[in-house]
Amino acid sequence: MFSLPVIVTLLGLTWTPVSALPCPETSPSQPPPSSVNSVQPSDVAVISSIGLHAHSSELSNVVSRLHELMTLFNPAVISPTLDNINLYSPESVQHRTLVEQAKDISLHLQNNQATEREWKLVLLFVQVDQLCACDEQQVKSVIQATVQEVDRALQVLHSQLKQTIVSVALWDGEYDTYQNKRMNCLYFQLQPTSGQHDTEDSGMIIAVPCPSQDRPFLRTEGNSPSYRHSEASPLIHPTTGTEMPCEDLRPSNSSPTSVHALRPGDIKVVAAVGDSLTAGNGVASNPNNLLDVLRQYRGLSWSIGGDENLTTVSTLPNILKHFNPALTGYSVGMGKQDTHQAFLNQAVAGDKGRDMPEQVRALVQRMKKDSRVNFETDWKVITMFVGGNDVCDHCYNSLYYSIENYVRHVREALDFLHKEVPRALVNLVEPLHIIPLRKMHEDRSLKCPTWLVNILCPCVILPKPGSKALHKVEELNRGYQRSLNELVESKRYDTRPDFTVVVQPFFREIVVPTLPDGRPDRSYFSADCFHLSQKAQTLMARSLWNNMLEPLGNKTAQQNFSAEVTLKCPTETSPYVRTYQNSNYTYTDPAPTPGPITNWGSNFSCVDLAPSVSVPTSVHKLRPGDIKVVAALGDSYTAGTGAKAKNLLELKREYKGVSWSVGGDATLETVTTLPNILRKFNPSLQGFSKGQGLGQKGFNMAVPGAKTSDIPAQVQALITAMKANKKVDFDKDWKLVTIFIGGNDLCSYCVDQNNLSPKNYSHNLMLSLDMLYKELPRVLVNVVEIVQIDPLRTVKKNDLGCTLMQRANCPCVLTPEYNSPELEEIRRTNQEYQTGTQYLLSGNRYDGREDFTVVLQPFLRNSFVPYIGEGKVDLSFFSVDCFHISERGHAEMAIALWNNMLDPVGRKQAYNNFTYDRSKIRCPSETQPFIFTKINSLPSLPVTTTTAAPVLNTTTSSSPVPTAPVPKCPSTLPVWVPVVVAFGSLLGPDSSFVGIPRVFN
């Protein structure tokens, strides 16, 4: 029976029948202890209890005796349980739940100002004599319900009380008549094991063991000398358990002040950010339960899980618990990142590099708010692992998932941790080498759901062996790995002694596990054959731990899933977690600074430049080489106003030859424009503008100061000019027309709201497109979405020209105060211009002709202004008036427009990536050599259309009734996929089964 465990729990000592031996008097600690692990018996000023019962007379005696015992150490100790009999008597609580009693006692202690800042001891009794169950199923149910109630009561105490130790004790009552009537079943389930004491010994005199000099504290898990978790399962699980070979588990004698002197036992907190490999998707899934891959087994996660103990679950926290049983921060059980059990596992399924800044902010917020973490003094290990999803999706948008963008996002996250988090070591795990995982989907005998992984990770699985696309995957993957090392080698995170970042490279190379017959071993993978099972995550945890103990310059850089990985141990000569300093490692010198940029040209790497074998009749099969004529409509941004100006006197010049959408000065190697890119495909291209002024404007019909209402006149002028140009076959040549307009509408909106309303903006744009649709054969029209204009307010320079000219150019945007109603009105109107354009082009108004289409290019929708560092605008993109764009800005706009043209409709990049790189120009792919339109962006091209290309009549005002083509698409997904997705959505946002997670999500 368990009549004495409460005092045993508190003092952590045994009981022997000897004569009474009072302990010497002691004084409370000075200063009072700040940690529960440093509380001595004399520091306790209040003893209280919950869970008493009317029939537990012996239990009440135990509580009374404990109070007497504690007065030996602190005569001033009080006990509300005895002093306030009306509130806490057994008679008053026998019908109240533990949660209700916890609320009562919390309220009472909070109202007692005299004890508010004193250490309190609360005894929570779980009376198993009140639990009766006779079969195994009932036992499990009763125990589960009891554990849940205790957990809720502890949460109440945890949220309401400070400076409190709670001791939970099982109590199985007395053998009286009442007991015998009620307790015939569960008692045998809870029989004590050998070594536990029965109340039959109650006639003996109990010796009170005294606190010793080396063990003066009330026992908590944090100051107990042994690791009690390991006692739960003495046998090592053959595939998921790990043997702890280390013997010296001691922390430092005092908490270190340098991260380079950090022992494993000094680590108090673990945390992690990343994707589904860290979230634990499918770790414990049945190999045949594909749907269960959606479940997040966070307690089993290799870098942050804390379920059970190391003998059954191998994770980094379970390893570290051997060195510090009081470790906190790890996740348990299942659920998403915002659940209580996730704790400091803030990994999100589906996240990519871009999401790391948000994840680390959420992580730091949790650390600061949780009382289990002493944010300022606890040593923390934070593991970051991300990049798989970026590689999986890179072929949809190679710029967005570029190496530069990936490392920029990671750098932003690490910068935040470096700035905000004291006493931290960050494990930066290299993205795994992903290409070897393709082997799981090359052998059909494995019966892997390759169709699903083709959806989750198409850019890795779909490319053919030896293809350029697969080479690009390898190049990007290696670039991600290399960029992380370069980032850390920059010494950016070694500016103070209590913080560092260490790259852990064990995933740099992957060896796929194999069966004796040479086929890949599917047992290392979840049901989707892409996420990793617990068997694989066991090896990952061991490899991460070993990497942490290996010196820089000599770390293991391969994960061989077929090889046995045993744990390494700190040594007497090297007891620390390895950093660059305690590894005697010297960072490599940074690459030499590149020379000055002499021009804004671009490199060109496309190989297949040929036009179609025969001139296409459909705009949806238009290759870049088929385009014979370029033209542009718009305002000063297209006219090239001030693009190469060096002073205010040159500002009014129109540098049409460098205009992003229609300029043709020099060649692409020195001047980046859309026509110079197209001339690589067709050197005979016509229509581009050159030089300055009107002399060689070609079909650049843009006029500085133009508004949307002026575009119909520009359209008419363009048609007239094309018909008059002898180098243009008006009826047969394929034409590319780019329209960019609306900036002047917004800049003047506050003085003419009626004429410049969003409705009129859309109407004028529609009139212009209608004219092109009626009168111009064989044409693809780019409508570049209006820029998000209010960020221009951040473009500032300390000179008179910039200040005055900028406001003169755009008073309605640049004059209003921040957060003023006028500025909010401009922002709303800006957005309505954008949505109005999207709505106009989303329908089928211009789909009635096979040789005509309009495509919205949205690369300016978000974040136009480029920055240098944090918050500083890069003025090299702007002319001397801080409003018009420079030649560099025109080059970036040209690249962004061209790359948008190679993005499928519905998956186009809706932001700009203005960073200098001569190799950003993309190429048409082998499988999709055409400029993307709404129709050829569908899974398959349409086989029929309802309307043939009409005969054009420039004199009529009527328009052919546009009818959308009807695509016939094959069913590429199994029938049950939409059912699974629909089922996931029905479970709601609180479920772990919402949507299909992306690979490495």
Side-chain angles (χ1 to χ4, degrees):
M1 294 175 66
F2 300 137
S3 24
L4 297 175
V6 57
I7 301 178
V8 175
T9 302
L10 289 171
L11 298 179
L13 301 169
T14 57
W15 294 77
T16 54
V18 297
S19 59
L21 180 65
C23 299
E25 293 185 11
T26 57
S27 301
S29 303
Q30 291 297 332
S34 59
S35 169
V36 293
N37 301 320
S38 304
V39 178
Q40 301 184 35
S42 56
D43 296 323
V44 176
V46 181
I47 302 175
S48 192
S49 58
I50 61 177
L52 300 180
H53 193 276
H55 299 279
S56 301
S57 56
E58 187 174 345
L59 180 56
S60 298
N61 290 335
V62 169
V63 175
S64 178
R65 295 290 177 85
L66 176 62
H67 176 261
E68 295 175 9
L69 173 62
M70 294 298 288
T71 59
L72 295 176
F73 301 96
N74 181 6
V77 67
I78 62 173
S79 177
T81 306
L82 302 177
D83 299 343
N84 300 277
I85 191 68
N86 293 331
L87 179 61
Y88 296 101
S89 66
E91 289 79 2
S92 66
V93 300
Q94 61 178 315
H95 298 300
R96 297 176 64 77
T97 66
L98 290 177
V99 174
E100 291 171 331
Q101 294 179 53
K103 291 179 179 178
D104 287 343
I105 203 167
S106 297
L107 181 62
H108 176 79
L109 293 175
Q110 286 175 332
N111 291 336
N112 189 340
Q113 296 183 357
T115 62
E116 183 179 3
R117 298 185 179 181
E118 302 286 354
W119 277 99
K120 296 167 278 289
L121 174 62
V122 176
L123 313 174
L124 192 158
F125 293 100
V126 181
Q127 297 198 130
V128 298
D129 61 333
Q130 306 302 307
L131 313 176
C132 189
C134 295
D135 58 59
E136 184 177 353
Q137 190 60 38
Q138 284 181 317
V139 170
K140 291 181 179 179
S141 177
V142 167
I143 291 176
Q144 183 179 15
T146 303
V147 170
Q148 289 176 350
E149 183 183 12
V150 171
D151 180 55
R152 288 194 295 269
L154 290 173
Q155 289 185 35
V156 170
L157 296 173
H158 177 254
S159 64
Q160 300 297 321
L161 298 179
K162 297 180 179 180
Q163 292 188 284
T164 303
I165 297 177
V166 180
S167 183
V168 180
L170 292 179
W171 176 264
D172 67 348
E174 300 91 28
Y175 275 112
D176 54 17
T177 306
Y178 179 82
Q179 165 74 17
N180 292 330
K181 289 179 180 178
R182 298 192 57 185
M183 194 66 180
N184 296 316
C185 307
L186 188 60
Y187 171 77
F188 296 101
Q189 301 287 341
L190 298 173
Q191 276 293 318
T193 57
S194 59
Q196 292 174 324
H197 298 275
D198 196 286
T199 49
E200 293 176 1
D201 294 305
S202 58
M204 308 175 72
I205 299 175
I206 305 294
V208 179
C210 298
S212 62
Q213 186 173 358
D214 61 327
R215 296 170 65 183
F217 310 123
L218 295 178
R219 285 295 168 206
T220 66
E221 189 174 3
N223 60 33
S224 298
S226 62
Y227 174 55
R228 302 187 183 280
H229 293 82
S230 61
E231 299 171 5
S233 179
L235 301 177
I236 306 295
H237 190 281
T239 57
T240 63
T242 298
E243 183 178 358
M244 169 51 68
C246 307
E247 296 181 357
D248 187 356
L249 309 178
R250 295 172 299 170
S252 302
N253 293 330
S254 60
S255 183
T257 57
S258 171
V259 70
H260 310 295
L262 186 68
R263 296 172 182 255
D266 299 324
I267 298 168
K268 301 290 183 66
V269 180
V270 287
V273 292
D275 50 37
S276 60
L277 279 186
T278 302
N281 279 81
V283 172
S285 298
N286 185 290
N288 299 317
N289 190 349
L290 188 59
L291 191 61
D292 198 53
V293 178
L294 301 173
R295 196 186 303 272
Q296 297 175 11
Y297 293 89
R298 291 184 181 263
L300 305 178
S301 174
W302 58 292
S303 64
I304 188 63
D307 277 358
E308 300 181 23
N309 60 84
L310 190 60
T311 62
T312 56
V313 177
S314 296
T315 64
L316 178 63
N318 281 351
I319 294 171
L320 287 171
K321 286 180 196 175
H322 276 270
F323 295 84
N324 178 13
L327 185 78
T328 190
Y330 52 83
S331 51
V332 295
M334 295 176 289
K336 294 188 176 181
Q337 72 280 356
D338 54 358
T339 59
H340 174 74
Q341 56 268 31
F343 201 4
L344 299 184
N345 181 349
Q346 288 301 292
V348 178
D351 271 8
K352 304 180 176 72
R354 69 186 181 199
D355 303 298
M356 290 303 97
E358 182 181 353
Q359 283 195 29
V360 296
R361 284 178 171 84
L363 172 64
V364 172
Q365 186 178 24
R366 278 208 167 194
M367 280 186 179
K368 288 181 175 179
K369 288 185 176 182
D370 199 288
S371 61
R372 289 169 285 183
V373 177
N374 188 323
F375 188 72
E376 296 297 331
T377 62
D378 283 350
W379 279 103
K380 312 159 193 75
V381 166
I382 304 170
T383 301
M384 180 183 294
F385 176 58
V386 74
N389 288 315
D390 300 72
V391 178
C392 284
D393 281 354
H394 81 275
C395 57
Y396 289 134
N397 195 328
S398 60
L399 284 182
Y400 188 76
Y401 299 112
S402 66
I403 297 169
E404 293 78 14
N405 276 341
Y406 169 77
V407 75
R408 177 168 60 87
H409 295 310
V410 173
R411 181 174 62 243
E412 182 182 344
L414 292 176
D415 285 354
F416 182 80
L417 292 175
H418 183 231
K419 178 182 178 183
E420 297 290 331
V421 183
R423 296 199 168 191
L425 183 147
V426 179
N427 286 323
L428 185 58
V429 180
E430 287 185 9
L432 85 169
H433 186 214
I434 200 170
I435 289 180
L437 301 187
R438 285 165 50 97
K439 294 180 181 179
M440 297 300 299
H441 302 274
E442 295 172 353
D443 190 335
R444 294 189 177 182
S445 68
L446 298 177
K447 298 181 180 180
C448 286
T450 302
W451 62 267
L452 177 60
V453 182
N454 285 342
I455 299 171
L456 301 180
C457 194
C459 305
V460 174
I461 301 300
L462 291 178
K464 297 178 181 179
S467 65
K468 293 180 181 177
L470 190 59
H471 176 73
K472 178 64 176 177
V473 175
E474 175 73 11
E475 188 179 67
L476 187 74
N477 202 165
R478 296 305 191 189
Y480 282 4
Q481 294 175 339
R482 183 177 61 254
S483 68
L484 296 187
N485 283 275
E486 292 172 351
L487 175 62
V488 174
E489 294 267 341
S490 70
K491 307 176 185 177
R492 187 184 187 94
Y493 305 111
D494 290 296
T495 60
R496 63 177 208 256
D498 72 334
F499 188 96
T500 195
V501 179
V502 181
V503 174
Q504 309 297 4
F506 68 92
F507 258 155
R508 186 177 300 169
E509 302 290 344
I510 294 292
V511 178
V512 175
T514 56
L515 298 167
D517 60 7
R519 293 183 304 146
D521 188 345
R522 189 173 172 177
S523 68
Y524 286 84
F525 296 85
S526 297
D528 61 358
C529 293
F530 220 87
H531 287 86
L532 300 175
S533 69
Q534 189 177 359
K535 189 174 181 180
Q537 293 225 352
T538 294
L539 298 179
M540 291 165 60
R542 297 174 186 171
S543 295
L544 174 59
W545 166 258
N546 288 348
N547 256 185
M548 291 171 64
L549 296 183
E550 293 170 339
L552 274 71
N554 195 29
K555 289 182 179 288
T556 302
Q558 183 188 72
Q559 179 66 68
N560 186 343
F561 285 106
S562 296
E564 180 65 24
V565 179
T566 56
L567 295 187
K568 295 184 177 182
C569 295
T571 64
E572 186 175 349
T573 57
S574 180
Y576 309 123
V577 177
R578 290 304 195 121
T579 66
Y580 84 96
Q581 191 175 103
N582 62 37
S583 300
N584 294 321
Y585 180 79
T586 303
Y587 287 137
T588 56
D589 293 330
T593 304
I597 299 171
T598 58
N599 61 67
W600 300 111
S602 296
N603 299 333
F604 187 78
S605 60
C606 303
V607 177
D608 187 2
L609 308 178
S612 302
V613 176
S614 59
V615 178
T617 58
S618 171
V619 71
H620 310 298
K621 295 186 178 180
L622 187 67
R623 296 171 183 254
D626 298 325
I627 297 173
K628 301 294 182 64
V629 182
V630 290
L633 314 172
D635 53 29
S636 57
Y637 269 48
T638 301
T641 300
K644 299 174 71 173
K646 304 300 182 184
N647 53 60
L648 292 178
L649 296 177
E650 297 176 349
L651 185 61
K652 292 299 182 181
R653 295 180 185 178
E654 297 174 17
Y655 297 89
K656 294 182 182 293
V658 298
S659 173
W660 58 289
S661 61
V662 72
D665 275 357
T667 64
L668 181 62
E669 284 68 30
T670 57
V671 178
T672 303
T673 65
L674 179 62
N676 280 353
I677 296 172
L678 288 170
R679 286 161 71 186
K680 292 291 185 178
F681 296 88
N682 178 15
S684 301
L685 188 74
Q686 299 294 318
F688 52 85
S689 53
K690 299 184 69 176
Q692 300 178 33
L694 302 176
Q696 302 180 74
K697 75 172 187 178
F699 296 138
N700 184 345
M701 314 310 290
V703 178
K707 300 181 177 68
T708 314
S709 58
D710 300 311
I711 298 301
Q714 292 185 26
V715 171
Q716 194 58 57
L718 173 63
I719 294 171
T720 301
M722 282 188 175
K723 287 182 176 180
N725 193 306
K726 296 181 180 180
K727 294 183 179 181
V728 175
D729 188 326
F730 186 78
D731 293 320
K732 294 182 179 179
D733 284 350
W734 278 102
K735 310 162 191 74
L736 178 68
V737 179
T738 300
I739 302 176
F740 179 54
I741 195 69
N744 290 310
D745 299 65
L746 284 173
C747 287
S748 302
Y749 176 78
C750 61
V751 297
D752 193 5
Q753 294 187 13
N754 289 333
N755 288 325
L756 300 177
S757 67
K759 181 178 179 181
N760 282 341
Y761 176 85
S762 297
H763 179 72
N764 290 324
L765 183 59
M766 181 185 70
L767 290 178
S768 305
L769 293 173
D770 285 354
M771 291 176 63
L772 291 171
Y773 182 76
K774 293 175 185 177
E775 302 188 34
L776 202 60
R778 292 197 172 184
V779 61
L780 185 151
V781 181
N782 284 325
V783 173
V784 177
E785 191 169 301
I786 184 173
V787 66
Q788 179 187 352
I789 200 168
D790 71 287
L792 282 173
R793 293 166 58 91
T794 64
V795 183
K796 298 177 181 178
K797 187 167 59 174
N798 291 326
D799 67 51
L800 189 61
C802 182
T803 303
L804 294 180
M805 294 297 295
Q806 190 184 46
R807 294 201 173 198
N809 284 319
C810 198
C812 295
V813 174
L814 300 175
T815 302
E817 297 294 329
Y818 281 100
N819 299 321
S820 66
E822 292 79 9
L823 184 58
E824 289 304 314
E825 176 73 5
I826 287 292
R827 288 171 174 161
R828 182 188 62 78
T829 304
N830 193 164
Q831 188 174 24
E832 289 182 4
Y833 278 11
Q834 292 179 333
T835 56
T837 305
Q838 295 165 27
Y839 180 77
L840 173 63
L841 302 185
S842 64
N844 60 2
R845 185 179 185 86
Y846 305 109
D847 293 341
R849 285 171 44 190
E850 188 68 16
D851 72 334
F852 185 97
T853 196
V854 183
V855 182
L856 181 66
Q857 310 296 0
F859 68 91
L860 289 177
R861 184 178 299 167
N862 301 298
S863 304
F864 169 71
V865 177
Y867 289 86
I868 300 176
E870 187 174 348
K872 185 178 180 181
V873 172
D874 189 343
L875 294 174
S876 68
F877 286 91
F878 296 92
S879 187
V880 292
D881 62 354
C882 297
F883 180 76
H884 292 92
I885 56 175
S886 66
E887 183 180 358
R888 181 181 185 183
H890 279 273
E892 292 292 342
M893 294 261 288
I895 296 171
L897 173 58
W898 167 256
N899 288 338
N900 245 186
M901 291 168 62
L902 299 184
D903 287 334
V905 174
R907 297 200 297 272
K908 289 183 179 290
Q909 179 171 299
Y911 67 96
N912 55 298
N913 183 40
F914 287 179
T915 55
Y916 180 69
D917 184 351
R918 291 183 63 93
S919 59
K920 290 198 298 186
I921 292 176
R922 291 165 52 191
C923 300
S925 67
E926 298 175 17
T927 58
Q928 178 50 276
F930 311 122
I931 296 173
F932 274 103
T933 67
K934 181 164 55 177
I935 299 303
N936 64 30
S937 296
L938 297 171
S940 67
L941 287 173
V943 296
T944 61
T945 58
T946 58
T947 305
V951 178
L952 301 176
N953 184 352
T954 60
T955 62
T956 180
S957 61
S958 63
S959 169
V961 178
T963 307
V966 181
K968 293 186 177 180
C969 307
S971 177
T972 58
L973 298 182
V975 175
W976 65 270
V977 172
V979 178
V980 170
V981 176
F983 173 70
S985 65
L986 285 174
L987 292 176
D990 294 328
S991 169
S992 298
F993 294 85
V994 178
I996 296 180
R998 304 305 302 267
V999 60
F1000 301 109
N1001 322 359

